[in-house]
Amino acid sequence: MLKLFKTLLLVMVGIGPISFAQTRYIGKSQELQEQIDRLEALHSSAFLNWNSFAKPYTIQNIAPFLTNLDSSYQNADAIDKYSIEKISNAYLVIPSKYDPKRSFLKSFYKNQYNGFVYNEPNIIQLAINPLLNFQVGSEKNKLSGTLVNTRGIAVNGIIVNKIAFYAAFCDNQENPFSYVDNLASKQQAFPGVDYYSKRLVNQYDYLTAQTYIQFPLVKKYIQAQIGYGKQFWGYGQRSLYLSDYGASAPYLQLHSQFKKFSYDNLYMELTPQYTRGGGDKALGHKYASFHHLSMQLHSKLEVGVFEAIVFGRTNHYEWSYLNPLILLRQAERSQGSPDNALMGFDFKWKAIQGAQVYGQVLLDEFNIKEITQSNGWWGNKYGFQLGLKAYNLFKIPHLDAQIEYNQVRPFTYARDSVSNYTHYNQALAHPLGAGFRECMGILRYQWHKKWSCSVQQVLYAKGVDTGSSNFGNNIFSAYSSRVQDYGFQTIAGVKSKGAYTNIHIAYECIPNLYIEAGYIQRTLSYQASHLLDEKTSAVYSGIRWNMARRTVDF
């Protein structure tokens, strides 16, 4: 696969100019992403032919948004104008009206958004920024405090107006909340991380990286991106397709935009589930291909079709899945159906000004006859999502809300130890895996361009497999070991109930430098006496610079 990436790079570099340089990674959970969603909802008429499904945004995808910032800027209030200025500078697209003021660190910060900027017209545009996330906390009934200590650097830019690049590297030490430590022990994976070392009982040490290089293939219509990082496909807080919850992975992505049509091809190299221990060793690889086609049927309605294949053989690439146009399910059947095939449908409807309804339907496997008989057949493997985003709630400026419901039946995403829908012992999609119902609410309020707060509440019910009994709740268990063929409800096995609350407040000292504090409460109870309930209550505070908040919100 690496040879293929290198070949494509050599062949495609230098084909056609690009209009905008996507230089900074904007992930789903960052404040900039929330501000982009807000501007799109409130100024929907200005963002025709722009698709916000695949994140992080590619150059071609974000270009229409940046083009239409002018019309939004004229009608925006002071807080939204500040958001527009930050978005423009994050992409190194700085029109004269958005020219930033000089920062107090004038030796490095020529403006208040980028630490170091080098600009050689038509040759290279470069920005270097520090990365910092230092957070301390105190958890009830936990002897030692919690800690997140992340330091790093990000380099981003564009070469000869054609090739955009981004590279971020961080060194991390973390003493997490007790429930995160328990989760890491059960899954043999630290959330959001690939390789890690556990120094002491509750102390983790790991490195993180996010890199890519992006270039045009066919003028402004098709862009290619080769990198190492995370992807998020969807419009909600969760995704049933592809989430940034897990570890980073090498990938090749093609993004095509033809007026109202948007098409994404993603090819990834993943790590199958494995058992930690035994010293250093080479881990195997598996591969996956993803397609998504979306169309803007109306100025207020977008619909999409999704398909994915996770290979069922380690260290083996099936070249038929490299075809960007073929139906992956047909290619998989032509190989004898050895792999894990999924498909789905999604939509986003701008119901009224300032409100969006969105959803996903995921189909892993199903039989219409079995569904109509309502007999709980194990092979009816599917899930769905429905959500609502509302802005300026009750006509209060910058009071925004989001409600989302997710449900996935048992055995969804599972197949065997190789082709299950996982990477590095973590779920590729929803972090709860399968066999659950989840309801989530988020309330955000920003009363000043520097001050913001939020409250997040997550409630869920999930089935739990115990001992050797496989009720389809653990996506790492092969579905061939199921306890029965019929009688499976959404919640099967031992029932558990979880609740997660996060109250957060932040002050932005200078652009992207936050001083923050918050309170977390999490409970997890089981309807079985031999399983211990979990309860976490903790406060935290810290400082964060050019980084997203690190949360494990389930």
Side-chain angles (χ1 to χ4, degrees):
M1 197 64 179
L2 181 59
K3 291 182 178 179
L4 174 64
F5 288 171
K6 291 179 178 179
T7 303
L8 287 172
L9 178 61
L10 291 173
V11 172
M12 298 168 181
V13 166
I15 303 178
I18 55 179
S19 301
F20 297 90
Q22 182 195 3
T23 56
R24 184 172 298 171
Y25 173 81
I26 296 184
K28 174 185 66 66
S29 58
Q30 286 192 349
E31 287 81 359
L32 284 177
Q33 176 60 60
E34 296 168 0
Q35 292 157 359
I36 289 174
D37 290 345
R38 173 183 170 81
L39 289 170
E40 181 197 10
L42 294 177
H43 305 275
S44 57
S45 60
F47 302 110
L48 300 179
N49 301 333
W50 182 67
N51 183 274
S52 59
F53 177 83
K55 305 172 183 68
Y57 297 132
T58 65
I59 301 172
Q60 175 64 18
N61 195 284
I62 198 69
F65 182 92
L66 296 174
T67 302
N68 288 286
L69 281 178
D70 281 349
S71 59
S72 300
Y73 192 88
Q74 299 298 326
N75 302 319
D77 60 20
I79 296 177
D80 281 342
K81 284 183 177 179
Y82 179 64
S83 299
I84 293 172
E85 292 169 5
K86 287 208 303 179
I87 295 167
S88 299
N89 281 275
Y91 281 88
L92 293 182
V93 179
I94 311 175
S96 59
K97 68 172 63 179
Y98 307 141
D99 281 348
K101 299 177 182 179
R102 291 177 65 86
S103 170
F104 64 96
L105 297 174
K106 296 181 181 180
S107 298
F108 291 97
Y109 276 72
K110 302 299 182 182
N111 63 61
Q112 57 183 333
Y113 296 96
N114 292 291
F116 172 80
V117 176
Y118 177 78
N119 187 11
E120 189 74 25
N122 299 320
I123 298 177
I124 186 171
Q125 190 177 14
L126 178 70
I128 302 176
N129 285 283
L131 300 175
L132 174 67
N133 186 11
F134 184 79
Q135 182 186 105
V136 294
S138 176
E139 180 180 341
K140 186 178 180 180
N141 299 326
K142 187 172 185 288
L143 296 179
S144 60
T146 63
L147 170 71
V148 176
N149 183 16
T150 299
R151 300 89 55 215
I153 189 170
V155 181
N156 47 282
I158 180 171
I159 302 172
V160 296
N161 294 327
K162 295 180 180 180
I163 306 170
F165 62 90
Y166 176 86
F169 302 94
C170 294
D171 181 36
N172 309 265
Q173 289 78 45
E174 187 165 348
N175 186 346
F177 299 117
S178 57
Y179 77 93
V180 178
D181 185 45
N182 293 338
L183 180 66
S185 298
K186 291 178 182 178
Q187 292 191 347
Q188 300 189 60
F190 197 68
V193 176
D194 45 30
Y195 179 84
Y196 68 91
S197 58
K198 195 171 183 179
R199 300 298 185 187
L200 298 174
V201 176
N202 193 33
Q203 294 185 7
Y204 296 82
D205 196 320
Y206 56 92
L207 299 174
T208 52
Q210 179 83 31
T211 64
Y212 68 75
I213 183 169
Q214 182 169 317
F215 44 88
L217 298 185
V218 183
K219 296 184 178 180
K220 63 180 181 179
Y221 300 107
I222 303 178
Q223 298 283 332
Q225 185 178 108
I226 299 175
Y228 178 85
K230 302 181 181 183
Q231 312 290 326
F232 184 93
W233 281 16
Y235 302 110
Q237 185 72 11
R238 309 285 200 208
S239 174
L240 304 185
Y241 295 170
L242 196 57
S243 172
D244 58 359
Y245 156 75
S248 296
Y251 67 89
L252 165 65
Q253 183 172 12
L254 305 179
H255 176 76
S256 306
Q257 186 78 42
F258 302 96
K259 294 187 177 181
K260 296 185 178 182
F261 293 90
S262 178
Y263 188 52
D264 286 283
N265 305 95
L266 180 64
Y267 309 95
M268 300 179 70
E269 183 181 75
L270 308 174
T271 300
Q273 69 184 81
Y274 71 101
T275 302
R276 282 178 55 85
D280 294 339
K281 57 184 177 182
L283 299 178
H285 299 292
K286 66 179 181 180
Y287 297 90
S289 297
F290 307 85
H291 295 167
H292 184 267
L293 173 66
S294 62
M295 182 177 67
Q296 194 173 62
L297 294 179
H298 185 271
S299 60
K300 294 185 177 181
L301 178 63
E302 297 175 13
V303 296
V305 181
F306 164 83
E307 61 175 352
I309 285 284
V310 179
F311 297 13
R313 291 138 292 170
T314 59
N315 304 316
H316 175 84
Y317 193 85
E318 197 62 62
W319 292 101
S320 60
Y321 296 142
L322 190 60
N323 189 329
L325 300 178
I326 196 170
L327 292 174
L328 292 175
R329 176 56 176 159
Q330 176 58 34
E332 192 258 351
R333 293 186 67 173
S334 70
Q335 303 296 325
S337 295
D339 304 317
N340 192 1
L342 301 93
M343 64 179 299
F345 307 92
D346 53 86
F347 77 95
K348 181 175 69 173
W349 177 40
K350 302 170 186 177
I352 59 176
Q353 184 76 3
Q356 296 179 349
V357 180
Y358 62 89
Q360 293 179 338
V361 175
L362 178 84
L363 303 175
D364 188 346
E365 185 179 348
F366 68 99
N367 184 296
I368 296 297
K369 179 181 177 180
E370 299 286 2
I371 290 178
T372 56
Q373 292 180 356
S374 301
N375 54 17
W377 183 51
W378 76 273
N380 285 331
K381 302 182 292 180
Y382 59 85
F384 68 90
Q385 174 191 87
L386 186 63
L388 169 68
K389 295 179 182 179
Y391 299 90
N392 295 337
L393 199 63
F394 308 121
K395 297 184 179 181
I396 300 176
H398 298 277
L399 178 62
D400 306 332
Q402 181 176 358
I403 299 175
E404 182 175 300
Y405 178 80
N406 296 284
Q407 178 174 317
V408 177
R409 276 185 55 82
F411 298 104
T412 307
Y413 302 118
R415 187 179 175 94
D416 53 48
S417 62
V418 177
S419 62
N420 53 28
Y421 206 68
T422 66
H423 167 54
Y424 231 102
N425 288 357
Q426 300 173 70
L428 276 174
H430 198 292
L432 290 177
F436 69 88
R437 296 188 183 98
E438 177 194 54
C439 186
M440 176 190 307
I442 303 174
L443 191 66
R444 304 182 182 95
Y445 183 51
Q446 187 172 6
W447 63 93
H448 185 274
K449 68 179 184 179
K450 297 291 187 178
W451 284 97
S452 63
C453 63
S454 66
V455 178
Q456 180 183 11
Q457 178 72 59
V458 181
L459 301 173
Y460 65 87
K462 176 173 170 56
V464 178
D465 297 340
T466 58
S468 59
S469 300
N470 182 2
F471 287 91
N473 301 300
N474 184 357
I475 62 176
F476 294 94
S477 298
Y479 59 54
S480 59
S481 64
R482 59 188 178 274
V483 296
Q484 59 201 36
D485 288 339
Y486 294 93
F488 290 99
Q489 304 300 318
T490 301
I491 309 299
V494 175
K495 184 177 181 180
S496 68
K497 291 184 177 181
Y500 171 89
T501 304
N502 191 337
I503 302 173
H504 177 265
I505 186 170
Y507 174 74
E508 189 175 12
C509 305
I510 60 174
N512 302 315
L513 175 61
Y514 296 89
I515 296 176
E516 56 192 355
Y519 170 76
I520 286 179
Q521 179 170 300
R522 178 188 180 271
T523 59
L524 181 61
S525 60
Y526 299 92
Q527 291 185 346
S529 59
H530 65 284
L531 297 177
L532 298 178
D533 295 345
E534 299 178 13
K535 185 173 182 179
T536 300
S537 297
V539 293
Y540 63 89
S541 62
I543 183 170
R544 177 168 50 89
W545 201 358
N546 294 319
M547 294 198 70
R549 290 168 56 194
R550 175 158 171 75
T551 58
V552 182
D553 54 353
F554 61 93

